[in-house]
Every structure is written in C-alpha cells, then in structure tokens.
Amino acid sequence: LLTIFVSLILVLGSTRLAISLLAIGLLTSVIVLGAAGWLGHIVNNATSISPVVILTLVVTSAMHIAVHFSNNLISSTPP
C-alpha cells in the first residue's frame, strides 16, 4: 500500500490527488468485501485476491481520468 501511494505521488505530482485515488480504491474494496460477506459468500483462495484486483483497477482507471483531465485543463485556452 505504501509502494502504491509513493508511486502515485511520483507519477501524479500531487499528494492530495494520490490520497484521494487511494481512498477511492480502498473504499471500493471495503464495499465489495462487505457486500460479499453480507450476501453470505465464503472467502476462499480464489476470492481472497479480489481486494488487490479491485484496488488495482480502480486506482489505474481513476489515475487515467485524473491525468487526462489535468492535461486538458492545462492545454485548454479560455474563450
């Protein structure tokens, strides 16, 4: 988790953005695991890696959105 956080800071250049992306990923993982537990799914070897997969997908997707948004914000000219 610390490695992901440090790499996000280095890539994005913003601690606040790195914290928000990591928080979104962790919150999504907690919600999915909570829903699975609430629905009665049993955690086994196959489902135990789901938080890592979810965290990876959420953080990379959000990072792409944030980078494209900031690039468009910088390159746009006012009317």
Side-chain angles (χ1 to χ4, degrees):
L1 207 53
L2 183 62
T3 307
I4 295 171
F5 181 65
V6 171
S7 63
L8 281 174
I9 291 174
L10 292 175
V11 169
L12 299 173
S14 171
T15 305
R16 188 179 349 178
L17 187 57
I19 289 172
S20 64
L21 292 181
L22 203 57
I24 291 169
L26 290 174
L27 185 63
T28 305
S29 294
V30 167
I31 289 171
V32 167
L33 285 179
W38 185 62
L39 292 172
H41 290 284
I42 298 172
V43 177
N44 56 25
N45 289 337
T47 59
S48 65
I49 63 166
S50 63
V52 176
V53 173
I54 292 168
L55 182 67
T56 303
L57 291 174
V58 168
V59 168
T60 55
S61 296
M63 187 173 69
H64 282 287
I65 292 169
V67 167
H68 287 291
F69 177 76
S70 65
N71 286 342
N72 288 336
L73 191 64
I74 291 170
S75 67
S76 67
T77 57

